[in-house]
Amino acid sequence: MALGSLSLVLQDCVYDLNVFNFMQDKQRVEEILNTLKKRTQEYKLNYYKPYPFQKRFHEAGLDTNQRLLMAANRVGKSYVGAMEMAAHLTGIYPSWWKGKKFLKPIRAWVCGASNETTRDICQKELFGQPDNPREKGQGSIPKHLIGETTRKPGVPNAHSSVLVKHNSGGWSRVAFKAYEQGAEKFMGESIDLVWLDEEPSQDIYSQCITRTLDKKGHVYLTFTPENGMTEVVQNFTTDLKPLQALITASWEDAEHLTEDMKTQILAALPQHEREMRSKGIPMIGSGLVFPISEDELSCDPFTIPPHFARIAAIDFGYDHPTAVVWLAWDRDKDIVYVYDCYRMAKQIPSYHSSYINERDGSEWIPVAWPHDGYQHDKGSGVTLAEQYRDSYVNMLPFHFENPPAIGEKKGGNSVESGLMEMLDRMEHGRFKVFNTLYDWFEEYRMYHRKDGKLVKLKDDLMSATRYAALSLRHSTTKGSRWNSKGRLGPDVAVV
């Protein structure tokens, strides 16, 4: 064979070998991608990364046994409900989990409005598409942990109950129920956990609570308040008990919803339903303290200019949260910005103080506080305000009062006059809130009156905001602070 021909043959061989290696590499990459896709589909619990509101919902289970996620449409209510149920049925909890944990197999109910919606929403989120056997295990519960299933008579592809392998070695059992069956179908059995997806009637909700009493179990609900201020909704808004928790969420809390999607959905909704469906707010109309759209109130975060005056305020609590807000005041335009907030229950003053002192500017930003700061600790006899001051929080040397009227020396503590001042600012665009303050907006949505009277439940951040907004005359810029004699001047130690 001529050298030229031999060279061509060798080139062809090298080319064929490279093509073979490339095809092998491509095939291997495709196999890896398919494996990863299968793992993410069949082990969703391992890849679950909750939004902040979803994480708050899970964590609330540690200190409560009744929880409501009252949220807008399309934010992932059923998804978070299914992830919670999957964690408890399997005993597999993510490393970040701080909520309730079951260390042994449980008996659970999953409930929806009808057999069909329970199948199409809850069953699908837990176990995969009901009418496609190949998608079994593509829900929140890993496929290899799904055991024996029992079919629901008369409802195609619906489960009556399913066994789920628990991490401890035994089997959990979850049964599916529908509100349309009536309250009598929710009697008799002792249950560890109940998930109510969509709002139940009060009698069914009461039965679910009763079924969990002897086991000290938990009940959680996930729904949009389409029926307004029903008895169930009022249980968590106007009549919240110590072992209950309310978590709210709007479209702004769901990162997967784009602005185009929101616009498209809103355009298809009647005007009177838009607040309810986009923010998860029950239609309580004139009962709202601040009937101002969140869109008008919120703004994107920005770096606070040094010439803006600042002030913070605290609302003391223990069983209910201690709350703190930080305000910046653009005195040239007379616009107030709520730029930070903090809320935490069942902690002592030194714990809260550490969080306050971590904030930028804590050494000079004054903190307004209400009259109950004069309450004495039963053990030491030291007042609440002094405890914070001893922990280096820059507390004002006097308690909160509304701005005095012309010719008056004191302004008093009228709540309504303070709220009207805030509302006036909101209506004229002189009150803004950073749209990242999820806890603040959660309270704002439910801050309302009943029979003309202010409902004093879950209003801790709202109270702190009022103290701060009505204390702007005490705000400062860096380089000045209030001293122990109540005078504003150069930096001096507070004694």
Side-chain angles (χ1 to χ4, degrees):
M1 182 182 293
L3 289 176
S5 299
L6 180 60
S7 176
L8 290 174
V9 170
L10 289 173
Q11 289 178 21
D12 288 341
C13 290
V14 170
Y15 174 79
D16 290 341
L17 183 60
N18 287 336
V19 170
F20 177 74
N21 289 335
F22 172 76
M23 294 302 293
Q24 275 196 322
D25 290 343
K26 182 181 178 182
Q27 183 179 1
R28 178 60 179 158
V29 169
E30 289 177 349
E31 289 175 354
I32 293 173
L33 291 175
N34 288 332
T35 300
L36 288 174
K37 181 180 179 180
K38 185 177 180 180
R39 286 188 63 83
T40 55
Q41 288 176 334
E42 298 182 358
Y43 296 84
K44 288 183 179 178
L45 189 58
N46 294 349
Y47 298 92
Y48 177 40
K49 295 182 179 180
Y51 294 145
F53 81 88
Q54 295 171 327
K55 194 172 183 181
R56 289 198 303 275
F57 176 74
H58 295 310
E59 292 177 351
L62 183 63
D63 299 315
T64 64
N65 56 25
Q66 298 176 46
R67 283 171 289 155
L68 167 58
L69 174 58
M70 188 168 66
N73 291 131
R74 307 292 295 276
V75 301
K77 301 184 301 297
S78 299
Y79 180 71
V80 69
M83 286 299 177
E84 171 104 11
M85 181 59 68
H88 295 316
L89 290 172
T90 64
I92 300 173
Y93 297 97
S95 59
W96 48 262
W97 189 276
K98 296 181 181 179
K100 168 70 177 178
K101 291 184 179 181
F102 289 95
L103 303 181
K104 59 182 181 180
I106 65 170
R107 297 178 71 85
W109 285 349
V110 172
C111 314
S114 67
N115 285 317
E116 288 74 16
T117 58
T118 304
R119 174 198 63 195
D120 296 341
I121 299 174
C122 302
Q123 181 182 319
K124 176 185 176 182
E125 290 286 358
L126 287 167
F127 298 106
Q129 185 64 37
D131 59 358
N132 188 348
R134 289 179 297 180
E135 293 189 18
K136 177 182 178 181
Q138 293 187 11
S140 60
I141 297 175
K143 183 176 182 179
H144 70 288
L145 299 179
I146 301 174
E148 181 181 349
T149 63
T150 302
R151 301 289 294 272
K152 184 178 286 291
V155 187
N157 305 312
H159 297 326
S160 177
S161 65
V162 181
L163 294 180
V164 177
K165 187 72 172 179
H166 192 273
N167 197 38
S168 65
W171 291 88
S172 295
R173 178 181 178 274
V174 57
F176 294 89
K177 292 182 176 292
Y179 309 152
E180 66 181 5
Q181 296 175 293
E184 64 275 7
K185 296 297 183 180
F186 291 76
M187 297 178 182
E189 194 175 359
S190 294
I191 297 296
D192 297 287
L193 184 66
V194 180
W195 169 27
L196 298 158
D197 190 55
E198 301 304 333
E199 183 180 356
S201 60
Q202 180 61 45
D203 58 343
I204 287 178
Y205 180 61
S206 298
Q207 283 295 334
C208 291
I209 297 298
T210 304
R211 302 281 70 79
T212 61
L213 288 178
D214 60 337
K215 289 192 172 186
K216 297 181 179 180
H218 284 235
V219 178
Y220 65 92
L221 307 91
T222 55
F223 63 76
T224 299
E226 299 184 11
N227 300 316
M229 287 297 288
T230 62
E231 192 173 353
V232 172
V233 171
Q234 289 181 22
N235 284 336
F236 288 89
T237 54
T238 62
D239 193 26
L240 191 70
K241 305 295 191 304
L243 292 180
Q244 293 178 322
L246 170 66
I247 308 297
T248 65
S250 73
W251 283 353
E252 300 304 317
D253 301 312
E255 298 173 9
H256 63 276
L257 292 176
T258 65
E259 292 303 319
D260 288 342
M261 292 171 65
K262 296 174 190 176
T263 301
Q264 183 179 7
I265 298 172
L266 274 181
L269 295 174
Q271 183 69 37
H272 69 280
E273 291 186 4
R274 292 182 179 183
E275 285 284 296
M276 178 266 291
R277 297 198 180 278
S278 64
K279 297 182 173 64
I281 301 173
M283 290 183 284
I284 54 182
S286 61
L288 289 174
V289 175
F290 301 125
I292 306 297
S293 167
E294 290 179 37
D295 295 333
E296 296 179 31
L297 205 63
S298 65
C299 68
D300 292 329
F302 58 87
T303 302
I304 306 296
H307 68 277
F308 280 20
R310 299 204 222 179
I311 191 164
I314 186 170
D315 183 56
F316 301 113
Y318 185 77
D319 289 325
H320 70 87
T322 290
V324 188
V325 297
W326 284 262
L327 268 61
W329 182 23
D330 180 355
R331 290 175 288 193
D332 295 332
K333 298 181 180 179
D334 192 24
I335 300 177
V336 169
Y337 295 90
V338 181
Y339 68 88
D340 200 359
C341 68
Y342 162 81
R343 184 178 66 183
M344 180 66 67
K346 297 183 178 179
Q347 290 293 346
I348 59 177
S350 59
Y351 181 92
H352 302 306
S353 298
S354 65
Y355 275 83
I356 296 170
N357 291 332
E358 286 177 358
R359 262 51 177 197
D360 180 56
S362 62
E363 69 280 2
W364 57 269
I365 298 175
V367 179
W369 49 278
H371 191 272
D372 57 0
Y374 290 122
Q375 293 181 0
H376 289 76
D377 180 80
K378 294 181 180 179
S380 65
V382 180
T383 68
L384 270 174
E386 288 172 333
Q387 291 180 58
Y388 281 89
R389 194 171 289 119
D390 290 342
S391 296
Y392 306 104
V393 176
N394 188 24
M395 306 287 277
L396 282 170
F398 36 75
H399 71 272
F400 166 79
E401 287 185 346
N402 290 326
I406 298 176
E408 299 290 336
K409 292 184 178 181
K410 292 189 175 183
N413 298 312
S414 170
V415 174
E416 288 298 331
S417 64
L419 295 176
M420 291 304 101
E421 169 66 22
M422 292 174 62
L423 180 58
D424 182 71
R425 282 189 168 276
M426 293 176 184
E427 289 177 336
H428 293 88
R430 295 184 293 115
F431 190 99
K432 298 294 182 181
V433 184
F434 281 14
N435 57 24
T436 52
L437 303 185
Y438 306 113
D439 288 347
W440 195 94
F441 280 107
E442 183 179 70
E443 285 194 11
Y444 177 83
R445 293 169 195 142
M446 295 306 303
Y447 197 37
H448 69 284
R449 294 183 177 89
K450 183 180 180 182
D451 300 327
K453 295 181 179 180
L454 192 67
V455 176
K456 298 292 291 178
L457 287 170
K458 205 163 187 178
D459 64 342
D460 312 284
L461 287 169
M462 295 298 100
S463 294
T465 304
R466 178 170 56 84
Y467 302 144
L470 275 294
S471 297
L472 293 178
R473 64 195 185 282
H474 304 314
S475 61
T476 67
T477 54
K478 188 174 183 180
S480 295
R481 64 181 289 163
W482 288 91
N483 61 31
S484 60
K485 296 181 180 180
R487 295 170 185 162
L488 190 61
D491 278 340
V492 292
V494 174
V495 295

